Amino acid sequence: MKNFNYFFNEDTIIKAVFKLRVKLARSRSKKHLLHLLTSNQKYNYNKKSEQKNDFEKYNYDLIKKLQEITPPRKKWVDLGSDHRKKRNSQETLATPYKNFYSLIKTYKKYKAKNSQDQWFINLNNFVSEILENVIREDYNIMAPIVFPKLKDKKIYNDINVCRPICMFSLKDRIILSITNKFLTQLFDSFFEDSSFAFRSKKNVKNLTVSHHDCITNILEYRNKHLNEDLFVVECDMEKFYDTVNHKITLNLFNQLIKKSKEKYPSLKLDVPINIFKKYLDCYAFNFNVPSSEDENYWKSYNIDKGLFKWIDENELKKYYTEKDEVRLGVPQGGALSGLIANIYLNEADIKLNNNKILYQRFCDDMIIISNKLEYVNTAKLVYINALQSLNLFPHNFREQDELLTINENKLNFKNYWKGKSKGPFKWNSIENGGIPWIGFVGYEIDYKGNIRVRKSSLKKELNKQKKITQEITNVIKTHRRKPIGTASESAINRLIGMSVGRIKMHNFEMISTDLSWRNGFRELFNNPHSKKQINLLDMRRKKQYYRLLKKIQIEEENISENSKRQIIKYDKPFSYFYQILERK
């Protein structure tokens, strides 16, 4: 294990800055595509506008700072054709990777000639400031900006429940990101193999473990017990990140530090320990989150009757007589919060380390499967007791007789799909007295081993398709400044890019499309359920695209036939079905 200085140095800080700059470039690129289509100032992302709330001010300051410490776009060094492909492959790099390597190459060029360009001087000063600050014992992490992210569509004249997403300053983001990488590697060997989120552990393919590995393990277990009844418990916690107890967290953290010192006696850990503690000190849900009575806060975000929903007062009293006596909750969106989830819930993982069951956890979601009902029941009780010892709040469990209801002599699965925590229930066909599907980490798996996309994930993708075409429709209504056909090209390119990647006719069979929706569901295979869903995505994407074309054609009625743009069909190479199922 390398020392903290190996992780935290000039090179890693510069790379962290450039990764953020690439994210900014990607975000601005989407806005630029809309800006090109219209002269409407509403879509001019370069125009300085009034900052109505802390989040808008934060974004403005972040963009300004990144522009000050990175080279202007016109100075980025061209990678050249040989460096635009992955090593040992003919596959073209995705644009974000090309931009990142271009920035690295640009920095090296200016460093070699000891440049006096202002951005270069600013960047080196910024790096020095971070290196000096992070080793100081009195260094503090600034309290984050709390941004209200709506859980559902905005409702007028009714309560709007939001998630408190936390945004840290540029300096703190970089410090926390690098510290998280170090501590994740430091603690990873002490975590159980049943945990799959925020790990540095590798799988058999030498890839960092992810939610895909959970699905692989469940399918393997299903196949191993193919002719047996299986029993399942699923658990999700209520407001997990918002109820993490700081005192318990620090105690568990100190235990892992003690183990780390025993395993790596030469490591110097004072600095990362200090940063971790300052991270806990900078925020607590019950102290830092605006209340529903803070009218100015909610008004600044144009959210009527906004609310950061928390645990019911009576529920809180199970563990705390007064909620202000303890510090509860860690920042959602903060780099160290994922690590804290593993530090916290590893206690439950240890107690569920039992070969009689399959136990998988991804952040605060878990699933237990066994061919013996008694094993599942025992494991469920062990898990609940473990959560109670950690002062956590699992959603109430619905057992099998509560999951299915009969309406007009038809089975209704509504309670099952709405249930957060459920079981034990038999995972089998309805005819055999079971429930045919389980849902975990974005997938759904039936008792035969077929997998499909979780309904909520499918719905999000369909809504995103609609949002993209609606955006472009709104843009071309007024102040259009490009040929009308450009709008259709922009729409289809965005729809293809977000679904299966920025593929072209010359590379559609070999590009990995790792920055697209497809990559989140790479375990899908061709079966009647997945086929139906993926075909639906293709059909709806075409429908949205041709709706836009119809509106464009109405606009083109007064344009001569010779100047009309030819409509290009985007079928197999660019389809969800080909890229997700057929190509595989």
Side-chain angles (χ1 to χ4, degrees):
M1 181 71 194
K2 303 288 186 182
N3 239 312
F4 187 60
N5 290 345
Y6 175 84
F7 290 78
F8 210 102
N9 54 50
E10 178 184 300
D11 186 50
T12 55
I13 295 170
I14 288 171
K15 285 181 178 178
V17 170
F18 288 164
K19 283 178 182 177
L20 289 172
R21 178 65 182 88
V22 167
K23 277 187 180 180
L24 173 63
R26 196 177 185 197
S27 172
R28 287 167 71 85
S29 174
K30 292 175 184 177
K31 294 176 183 177
H32 185 65
L33 289 172
L34 294 177
H35 175 53
L36 287 175
L37 298 174
T38 179
S39 58
N40 188 337
Q41 289 303 299
K42 177 183 174 182
Y43 298 96
N44 185 356
Y45 63 97
N46 290 312
K47 181 184 176 184
K48 185 176 179 181
S49 57
E50 181 188 356
Q51 294 142 36
K52 298 177 183 177
N53 52 57
D54 288 340
F55 182 67
E56 289 179 355
K57 185 177 185 303
Y58 167 85
N59 272 332
Y60 176 80
D61 291 341
L62 177 66
I63 292 168
K64 185 179 177 183
K65 185 66 177 177
L66 282 171
Q67 289 174 334
E68 287 175 356
I69 62 176
T70 56
R73 187 67 180 85
K74 62 183 179 181
K75 290 190 176 182
W76 292 13
V77 174
D78 189 348
L79 284 178
S81 57
D82 292 341
H83 294 90
R84 291 177 186 162
K85 296 177 181 177
K86 291 184 178 180
R87 289 182 181 178
N88 306 317
S89 170
Q90 289 302 304
E91 187 181 330
T92 304
L93 287 168
T95 301
Y97 297 121
K98 286 190 282 189
N99 286 343
F100 176 72
Y101 294 128
S102 175
L103 282 166
I104 295 292
K105 198 171 181 179
T106 305
Y107 176 76
K108 288 179 178 178
K109 173 187 172 182
Y110 281 79
K111 185 178 181 180
K113 62 181 185 181
N114 196 22
S115 172
Q116 294 302 303
D117 278 33
Q118 194 58 52
W119 72 264
F120 186 80
I121 294 169
N122 292 343
L123 177 58
N124 287 327
N125 289 339
F126 180 73
V127 171
S128 298
E129 181 186 348
I130 288 181
L131 289 171
E132 289 169 9
N133 282 343
V134 79
I135 60 173
R136 288 169 49 185
E137 289 185 7
D138 62 344
Y139 174 70
N140 283 313
I141 305 292
M142 296 288 290
I145 298 298
V146 179
F147 169 70
K149 184 177 181 181
L150 287 160
K151 288 194 73 175
D152 297 299
K153 287 184 178 180
K154 190 186 293 186
I155 307 169
Y156 293 94
N157 299 318
D158 203 351
I159 292 173
N160 284 287
V161 178
C162 299
R163 288 191 182 94
I165 304 301
C166 296
M167 308 297 292
F168 290 86
S169 70
L170 177 60
K171 182 170 65 175
D172 287 345
R173 280 177 73 168
I174 290 169
I175 289 171
L176 292 172
S177 174
I178 297 171
T179 304
N180 178 60
K181 188 175 181 181
F182 171 78
L183 289 174
T184 297
Q185 289 196 24
L186 180 67
F187 294 157
D188 206 64
S189 62
F190 305 124
F191 294 148
E192 296 296 308
D193 289 338
S194 52
S195 164
F196 291 87
F198 315 114
R199 300 291 302 270
S200 63
K201 175 188 158 192
K202 304 288 184 181
N203 61 19
V204 292
K205 296 178 182 177
N206 202 33
L207 299 171
T208 303
V209 294
S210 68
H211 65 293
H212 303 295
D213 296 288
C214 296
I215 300 305
T216 301
N217 291 344
I218 292 171
L219 290 173
E220 286 176 357
Y221 192 87
R222 170 70 272 181
N223 291 333
K224 185 179 176 182
H225 301 277
L226 200 55
N227 298 315
E228 302 175 64
D229 285 336
L230 293 182
F231 300 90
V232 180
V233 168
E234 298 176 33
C235 181
D236 185 22
M237 266 159 280
E238 190 175 358
K239 305 298 175 188
F240 169 71
Y241 281 114
D242 299 335
T243 56
V244 167
N245 183 301
H246 288 205
K247 189 175 180 180
I248 294 174
T249 301
L250 198 54
N251 180 43
L252 295 172
F253 174 76
N254 288 334
Q255 290 176 31
L256 288 172
I257 288 293
K258 184 180 178 182
K259 288 181 181 179
S260 300
K261 286 180 176 178
E262 291 170 357
K263 187 174 181 178
Y264 308 108
S266 62
L267 283 186
K268 296 177 181 178
L269 299 174
D270 290 348
V271 173
I273 289 171
N274 182 55
I275 294 170
F276 185 90
K277 289 179 178 178
K278 295 297 172 65
Y279 182 76
L280 283 179
D281 290 343
C282 80
Y283 171 93
F285 183 96
N286 53 332
F287 289 102
N288 291 80
V289 167
S291 71
S292 56
E293 286 79 32
D294 191 342
E295 292 183 7
N296 290 334
Y297 174 83
W298 296 106
K299 188 176 179 181
S300 71
Y301 288 97
N302 195 28
I303 295 176
D304 188 32
K305 296 183 181 179
L307 172 68
F308 290 118
K309 194 173 181 181
W310 207 32
I311 299 294
D312 181 78
E313 292 284 343
N314 292 327
E315 283 288 298
L316 276 171
K317 286 177 181 177
K318 287 180 181 178
Y319 305 123
Y320 312 108
T321 53
E322 293 291 335
K323 65 181 180 181
D324 292 337
E325 289 179 355
V326 289
R327 291 177 62 80
L328 301 173
V330 292
Q332 292 192 46
L336 285 170
S337 293
L339 174 66
I340 288 173
N342 282 340
I343 292 172
Y344 217 81
L345 293 172
N346 191 52
E347 295 300 293
D349 299 343
I350 291 168
K351 292 173 183 176
L352 268 291
N353 186 10
N354 186 328
N355 292 327
K356 293 179 180 179
I357 61 168
L358 174 70
Y359 165 71
Q360 310 271 274
R361 179 178 63 79
F362 192 86
C363 194
D364 62 325
D365 290 343
M366 79 84 184
I367 191 167
I368 297 168
I369 307 175
S370 178
N371 60 340
K372 301 289 184 184
L373 179 59
E374 60 185 289
Y375 295 162
V376 167
N377 273 320
T378 300
K380 175 185 173 181
L381 290 174
V382 170
Y383 193 74
I384 290 172
N385 289 334
L387 298 185
Q388 288 174 347
S389 70
L390 295 167
N391 292 11
L392 291 173
F393 304 85
H395 285 279
N396 290 329
F397 284 86
R398 292 182 177 182
E399 299 198 19
Q400 182 153 341
D401 59 351
E402 300 174 276
L403 296 174
L404 296 181
T405 56
I406 299 176
N407 294 332
E408 297 178 357
N409 296 321
K410 290 184 179 180
L411 279 175
N412 189 325
F413 285 83
K414 188 176 181 180
N415 285 344
Y416 174 76
W417 293 118
K418 286 183 70 176
K420 296 281 189 177
S421 295
K422 47 208 171 193
F425 60 87
K426 186 194 284 189
W427 184 24
N428 209 317
S429 66
I430 296 170
E431 292 76 16
N432 288 326
I435 292 174
W437 291 92
I438 60 172
F440 196 56
V441 293
Y443 291 93
E444 290 169 0
I445 312 173
D446 77 355
Y447 67 99
K448 294 179 180 178
N450 292 312
I451 59 176
R452 68 185 183 191
V453 180
R454 202 163 194 166
K455 290 179 181 178
S456 57
S457 301
L458 186 71
K459 187 178 179 181
K460 283 180 185 177
E461 183 71 357
L462 291 169
N463 287 338
K464 195 173 176 183
Q465 292 177 352
K466 187 176 181 180
K467 181 182 175 183
I468 285 174
T469 50
Q470 190 60 53
E471 259 184 350
I472 291 176
T473 302
N474 292 339
V475 161
I476 62 174
K477 278 181 180 176
T478 57
H479 303 92
R480 179 170 56 81
R481 62 177 179 182
K482 287 283 185 180
I484 196 71
T486 304
S488 64
E489 283 189 9
S490 179
I492 195 62
N493 286 332
R494 286 185 65 188
L495 288 167
I496 290 170
M498 69 101 172
S499 58
V500 296
R502 294 190 176 186
I503 56 175
K504 304 292 181 186
M505 282 301 296
H506 68 277
N507 67 9
F508 70 86
E509 288 185 314
M510 56 184 178
I511 196 163
S512 68
T513 64
D514 49 348
L515 294 175
S516 65
W517 186 86
R518 169 193 183 273
N519 193 51
F521 297 94
R522 62 173 183 248
E523 294 304 314
L524 286 177
F525 59 85
N526 199 340
N527 63 70
H529 310 287
S530 64
K531 185 177 180 179
K532 182 179 179 181
Q533 287 184 322
I534 301 306
N535 280 334
L536 175 64
L537 287 170
D538 277 325
M539 183 187 75
R540 288 289 182 87
R541 190 177 73 179
K542 280 184 181 179
K543 190 174 182 179
Q544 294 296 339
Y545 177 52
Y546 283 111
R547 272 183 181 172
L548 177 64
L549 285 179
K550 190 175 180 180
K551 290 175 183 176
I552 288 172
Q553 285 168 342
I554 292 171
E555 293 280 340
E556 284 187 324
E557 283 179 356
N558 297 323
I559 301 175
S560 68
E561 285 295 325
N562 292 333
S563 61
K564 286 185 181 179
R565 189 171 299 220
Q566 181 185 2
I567 294 173
I568 302 170
K569 290 188 177 181
Y570 293 86
D571 292 320
K572 177 175 176 176
F574 308 97
S575 70
Y576 288 86
F577 186 82
Y578 175 75
Q579 289 293 338
I580 296 172
L581 298 180
E582 185 177 337
R583 178 179 159 190
K584 185 174 183 177

